Amino acid sequence: MSKITIFRQACKGVEDCGICIFVCPKQVLIGSDEMNEVGYLPPQVKDESLCTGCQNCMISCPDFSIVVEKDASKPAAERGEEDG
Amino acid sequence: MSKITIFRQACKGVEDCGICIFVCPKQVLIGSDEMNEVGYLPPQVKDESLCTGCQNCMISCPDFSIVVEKDASKPAAERGEEDG
Amino acid sequence: MTRTELTIAGVGGQGSILAGTVLGSAAVTYDGKYAVQTQAYSSELRGGYAATWVVVSDEPVVFPRVTRPDILMAQAQDSINRFSHTLKPDGILIVDSDMVPTPPDNIGHIFRIPATSIARNRLKAPVTANIIMLGALCRVRRVVSREALEKAIVDAVSKEQEQLNLDAFNLGFEAVREPMD
Amino acid sequence: MTRTELTIAGVGGQGSILAGTVLGSAAVTYDGKYAVQTQAYSSELRGGYAATWVVVSDEPVVFPRVTRPDILMAQAQDSINRFSHTLKPDGILIVDSDMVPTPPDNIGHIFRIPATSIARNRLKAPVTANIIMLGALCRVRRVVSREALEKAIVDAVSKEQEQLNLDAFNLGFEAVREPMD
Amino acid sequence: MSVSAHPFRRYMRNHVTRTTTCPGCGNGIITQAILRAIDELGLDMDDFIFVSGIGCSAWIPSPLFAADTLHTTHGRPIAFATGIKLCLPEKNILVASGDGDLAAIGGNHLIHAARRNIDMTVVLVNNGIYGMTGGQTAPTTPRGLTTITSPHGTLEHTFDICAMVAAAGASYVTRWTTYHPRQMTRSIKKAIVKKGFALVEAISQCPVQFGRAAKLGKAVDMLKHFKENSIRIDKARNLDEEALKGKIVVGEFVDIEKAELASEWARLKQEVMEV
Amino acid sequence: MSVSAHPFRRYMRNHVTRTTTCPGCGNGIITQAILRAIDELGLDMDDFIFVSGIGCSAWIPSPLFAADTLHTTHGRPIAFATGIKLCLPEKNILVASGDGDLAAIGGNHLIHAARRNIDMTVVLVNNGIYGMTGGQTAPTTPRGLTTITSPHGTLEHTFDICAMVAAAGASYVTRWTTYHPRQMTRSIKKAIVKKGFALVEAISQCPVQFGRAAKLGKAVDMLKHFKENSIRIDKARNLDEEALKGKIVVGEFVDIEKAELASEWARLKQEVMEV
Amino acid sequence: MGRGKKIMTGTHFMMGNLACAEGAIAAGCEFVSGYPITPASEVVNRLAKRLPEVGGIFLQTEDEIAAICSAIGASWAGQKALTATSGPGISLMQENIGFAVATETPLVIVDVQRLGPSTGAPSVGLAGDMVQVARGSHGDYQIVALCPESPQEMFDLTVRAFHLAEKYRVPVFLLADAFVGHMREQVIIPEEKQLEIESRKIPKGGNDPMDRQDFLSVDVAPMPVFGRGFKAHVTSSCHDEHGMRNLSDPEVMHRYISRPIDKILNHRDDIIQVEADYSGASIVLVSYGTVGRSARAAAHLAQAQGLRTGNVRLITCWPFPDREIRQVAESVDFIVVLENNRGQLYPYIKAEAAHACRIELLGPETLGQIHDPEYILARIREMIK
Amino acid sequence: MGRGKKIMTGTHFMMGNLACAEGAIAAGCEFVSGYPITPASEVVNRLAKRLPEVGGIFLQTEDEIAAICSAIGASWAGQKALTATSGPGISLMQENIGFAVATETPLVIVDVQRLGPSTGAPSVGLAGDMVQVARGSHGDYQIVALCPESPQEMFDLTVRAFHLAEKYRVPVFLLADAFVGHMREQVIIPEEKQLEIESRKIPKGGNDPMDRQDFLSVDVAPMPVFGRGFKAHVTSSCHDEHGMRNLSDPEVMHRYISRPIDKILNHRDDIIQVEADYSGASIVLVSYGTVGRSARAAAHLAQAQGLRTGNVRLITCWPFPDREIRQVAESVDFIVVLENNRGQLYPYIKAEAAHACRIELLGPETLGQIHDPEYILARIREMIK
Ligand SMILES: Cc1ncc(C[n+]2csc(CCOP(=O)(O)OP(=O)(O)O)c2C)c(N)n1
Ligand SMILES: Cc1ncc(C[n+]2csc(CCOP(=O)(O)OP(=O)(O)O)c2C)c(N)n1
Ligand code: SF4
Ligand code: SF4
Ligand code: SF4
Ligand code: SF4
């Protein structure tokens, strides 16, 4: 299983940003109600087991707030890395 | 017959310019030895009767020093106006 | 002396400067007073600091700067760090308690308003925190009249946002338990 | 006094300024004198006016401007209009008589050199008129030595143009019938 | 065991703890694409000099990147970068700045650097508006769009920056949107490696100034717009003007080899000094 | 009975008795082409405002033309002309200036005016060099050519100005040499009539600075060169890069209709004021 | 006239930059070109909206150079024209400020100063361009610069800037700063008839400039605007009275430089405005712009404490009010010059005062702020100890 | 080293502009960017030829803005850099002159002044940019400017300009004019070891600017040039000692403005050179540049006629030699300031002199010329009548 780490203090919130949620092909991430220090609402992981390790959220997060460690056992194609 | 008028004082000389001589398809114009006020050597008409009235010299003279009055009796094609 | 000096500060995007404008405009346009508003902000549009200063007076204002505010309205922790030391000894501090969890404890009068949560939870409009704070200010100390402020708010926002902002003002007004005057 | 002031003028393209440079360079490099050369020209590259001023002296030159030249070398009618009134009362005027058909008659010493015709007819190189004039100047008044001038000419032109210009200098030198000194 | 920090933190200055952009701004995506390109190429931050102008996008490398970073005046980063490259020909020069910076006030340096084909990578962030100064029209603002300085709709036409830079002589020209971070990364890698002038036009969302103006909504709405309206250059070539209206043509437009200025200087110096 | 003066003398200021160019300079040919175009269109000099920058070519209209003539700073004539056109939309604005003026220092205004598609005619005199200042490299100097500032040969590539201005958005783009005065005249006429930004690139000889530098000899040698190396765009389209090396492609490159800025403003003012 | 109200008569709580924009509209300005920059953007933002409503045009240019060039073009096309920027833009405009001066073009340039040098701190006001606006272009020349202390003066002096620009065919600067530009305060906009509005004179006729004197008159030559058959020749190359380029006659060069300068200096009494209040004072505070408000407050404080302190505020900073300063110097003991920069006008003031009285420069506690009146008073007490 | 001789030791009859170019090469300059302009073109023309011979690079840019920007870039890349232009180019460079000052970049800028304003008369020398070079960019700052009077000084002061630029991390202007730039005279180029050549200090090491002080030291901070792992952060936004942008702390703003100014002013004694010869004089002529030669000739004439006349020539014009002027003023009766413009430095000189002696400005007979010594003498006689 891939591992998702969210750096809550770096995040600028799903209200105005939320890009991670948008680019996730599996709806792994959802919003939350808990503010960080600067008053933003970072995302939370709904179900890590759904994560394919595509790293879309990581690569698209403008604030370097998410790291996804891939499940090295799966081939890239299966991870579904998008290449639109 | 077309009529060629050379304004000698405006001319900058066939030594460094001489464009009129170059563009004339019939070698109507040649150089001369007689300086104008500013020390340039304007061209002179060798044989006006050869002039087709194409006005190449007039149109290409950078110093507005030549006027060719076309022989209105001849059609343009015959005058050989160049249209490279 | 009729001169009241206010500092309203936050980070970019919180609307601190707009709050100051509404205040000054209310004073001049509807309360027949004099007011000068000045401002400062860093170049980041969001997240940088933003501050505005308002002088309200019954006479024309000569010196336009706020040096020792009577009131500091702080919308972020950063604002406290920057400005709380400038407050007059008996000055009033009004904080958005969501953004300033630990205000300094050496201040005479301090009001904690959870403006961001109110805005977010009750109004579903986090951007109205500034107007909530303004409502609180109005209750804490009547620098300008409530009526004037309400009119100035209506002037400042679009028709569709009118009611939302008046509601915000009201919520802020009511969030203050023990006003000063 | 050892200070000699010269004005060399013409229209753009005639090489007046180069003539001045050769003169100054000859004085400094080969005659062990001091010289300052200054210049003026209009923005037209050809046909506008061009003038250069040279001060030659046995001592370092403090004031570098030529205000009342001892010698005016004029390569065009325009130069006469501009500068002949500045000439010292007993000054010398050297003209290219092809370009200045009617020099003023109130000048003490005047030398007419058909430099343009000589250049064109004898050398087939109209651009050498300036060096012809310099040859004439050298004969008229030995401001710098003939040897120095010849060396400076060689320095100033390309290898291929060397002999042509030395010939031009010589023709100018010989075109003067009655030198002054 | 979870990671304690983002892996690219090592490319950032320690004391810079937070980006300066608004929530959802595309600049961060581009920032990451740049760092990922460097990372994947296995290069060191000290192999680079980063140069930027003035604007939100100009803050991409400055002060964030732990490297030599030159934050210049508005519109001039390419001119500064030109001097740097000629004196440090062995370094990679990467310019990151906004469309206003590089194509409005800085347009002349852009085309002349392309003409000279001087080796540098220019990441031009095209968010269609002036972000930092509060939402004024840019030469990239879509015609008809209402901005703070065109309250009745922009009357002017829009630059096709890639086409112009290509016509000016660049060696490598490409365009992607922030919806294409992987492709953008790949193109930045090619741009860095390319010996010559390389332009990466990065279409980006400015939800604060542009989103508001174009009523395109928030960051994700704009990304959705990019997703739906992007079309690859190979497909676009077969479509007529009408069909391309409102589309964002993405892909590689130019990828050629030609004499590069800094190398030419090296050669010339060699030649002249050896004579 | 012979004429007592050149017929175009009537378009010139009385007190200006002589052009300021060097013998054989191409600028005079272009000057005449402009006047002939106006003459053949039957327009009056008072229908025009002539604007130029700084350089030999910038002296084409100034002070020669008996009309409103604005002789501006180096590189800026198009920027001045833009203000004039917007305020006097019914007038024809004609800019005549050099390649250094319009494409080196003034490059940014050139591309932005093309982008805006503001109605004006720009006659850009491309003599491949800086004439007035004494023969320095221009962005149009052929690569490899020795000039006073590239004594070891120009290392930089050359602008294709027409291609760039076309990419920037102009309505009408054409190129002719001084060996093509009739075609040039015809194109200037079309450019004047065109509602939009129109560029006429006029390749011209500077026998004094360029002729010397390129060892192309005197004026007639350069005209001969133009004659022998010009190739029409319709023929050029079928040739590859190799075959086009050293050729001057002439003809009309762009001739389209699109919204023009001054008219758009007229429309907008109408709309806003009538509400 | 369109639906837009030209003059927003009434009382407003208005930002200085908007008051400036309204002043321009009120003065009849119909062409504005500009490029966004903090802290001047609000001026152009507002004008972009307002101009089409009153039949005018706003052009956002590719840069500040194009902004001033197109504004000058518009002025020659017969319009009242304005451009607005801040220091970096003024720096870029320098070459063509010189063009406007040399061609005697009426033009209003708004400089909302920010803390510099260079990019500095864009939203912080500091009067750092005081000499730049007068000497920042190459060569010798004279412009006019007015210094507002309040949003009200942002309006009033913008109207006056147009008045002077048109009357004297000269670029006039409104030399504000971020502090007053972003300041909001009461602004009273009067009715149209109360405004002093002037338009340039144009020649009576004649279609040959050789028959006219279009330039270099110390009495201000009528301006042969384009499009009316004047066949004007306009160049910033050295030119004669007819506008014709002349690069060889030293006398023409002399006139080319001197006449446009003397044109302004000869009318200095009409142009220069100084707010002076120092009768009976032995100490005078000299200041300009927003610092003037600190000075006034400090003078009140000082008087209250028995120090005979007066106040002089330069509303017109260029042409420099030399006589006015001389007059002050000759009637008091001590001049304290208050500037919130490192003393940019100080040498100019000192040059006119040092012969007659003691003079010192006093900067603010922190550069970029206006002086605290208490601080001024404390420092003066030290100085006179 | 290549085939090119770096130092053309020997005696030459050389044009001032070429002497300047040779001075640059002699000082070790290896990067020059420029754009042609009369009357400065010969400087870059020569350098375009000479630089490749000595392993340097010449870049002809698209405009003067690119010229100064690329020169600043080259300086940060570790090279000694120069750009040369005339007034119109200086005007265009103003914004980035400010950048160089704010980032403390060593740079030599040659300004061969021409008659202005604006396009003016390109080949005529007039010292019209005297204040422009010091105050032409926005904000508050301090540069260094040197004024040559002869081709010899075109060489010597160019070498010195590099020396000062590198030593103090500051842009240094060589403030020549068309007259001296195009003047040919004897120029003696010494041997290399006789030249005073200095290169900037660079930091001892450390790859985090937060551990270093790269900026804002009044003692001149070592310069963390690019490409050596210093990870320098360079910005002309308001910044702290580490170079880090700071747009909110007023104290940082204060230091950002003041420190680079004080860095120069604190070393003014090392920087300022004044040629003074007035012992026993009661009248002193103060001048600079080529006018200095008129002044010297006039002083000789006056002395010959029994007038006790001295001479002071400002070789360094900026930082302004205030103390030196004060000293003159306090020891003579009458200062006559000779400038061939409308009196650009006059206010600065008067400010330091008016308290102590009489002072007058004397322009030339015709602007654009240097004064005729006879004319100076005649006018002085009138003045003291
Ligand atoms: C000479 C100059 N003019 C104007 C400005 C003001 N300014 C700062 S950023 C900017 C434009 C920013 O737009 P863009 O480059 O597109 O970047 P963005 O903020 O959108 O990323 C402007 C005009 C300036 N700093 N300097
Ligand atoms: C700001 C500025 N920079 C430089 C110059 C000097 N200058 C005058 S004309 C010119 C270039 C002329 O070249 P081009 O425009 O090609 O015209 P040409 O003379 O070749 O016709 C230059 C650089 C100037 N006048 N102003
Ligand atoms: S993309 Fe990043 S910054 Fe945006 S909401 Fe998700 S975690 Fe936060
Ligand atoms: S083309 Fe004209 S200027 Fe040239 S030689 Fe012939 S007549 Fe004279
Ligand atoms: S204003 Fe726009 S471009 Fe600038 S940081 Fe905010 S979202 Fe990004
Ligand atoms: S220098 Fe060249 S472009 Fe200029 S007038 Fe002479 S020939 Fe023509």
Side-chain angles (χ1 to χ4, degrees), chain H residues 155-178:
Chain H
F155 178 88
D156 297 341
L157 295 183
T158 301
V159 174
R160 184 165 164 77
F162 276 99
H163 174 81
L164 296 173
E166 294 283 322
K167 188 167 177 187
Y168 296 113
R169 282 184 62 186
V170 68
V172 178
F173 287 85
L174 183 78
L175 207 36
D177 64 29

Side-chain angles (χ1 to χ4, degrees), chain C residues 21 37 39 41 61-62 65, chain G residues 123 182-184 293 370:
Chain C
T21 307
Q37 181 201 12
Q39 55 181 282
Y41 53 88
V61 178
V62 178
R65 248 178 73 194
Chain G
S123 64
H182 285 167
M183 185 187 287
R184 284 187 187 79
R293 297 175 72 151
I370 64 168

Side-chain angles (χ1 to χ4, degrees), chain B residues 10-12 16 37-40 63, chain D residues 9-16 40-51 75-79 82 99, chain F residues 17-23 56 59 208, chain G residues 247-248:
Chain B
C11 169
K12 290 190 179 148
D16 285 327
E37 276 173 13
V38 255
Y40 294 124
D63 287 283
Chain D
V11 295
Q14 288 185 314
S16 311
Y41 53 87
S42 59
S43 299
E44 300 95 331
L45 286 168
R46 293 290 174 95
Y49 86 105
Q75 296 190 261
Q77 187 64 44
D78 171 76
S79 324
R82 275 178 208 281
M99 308 307 292
Chain F
T17 50
R18 194 170 279 147
T19 62
T20 48
T21 46
C22 306
C56 297
W59 284 4
V208 170
Chain G
L247 299 177
S248 61

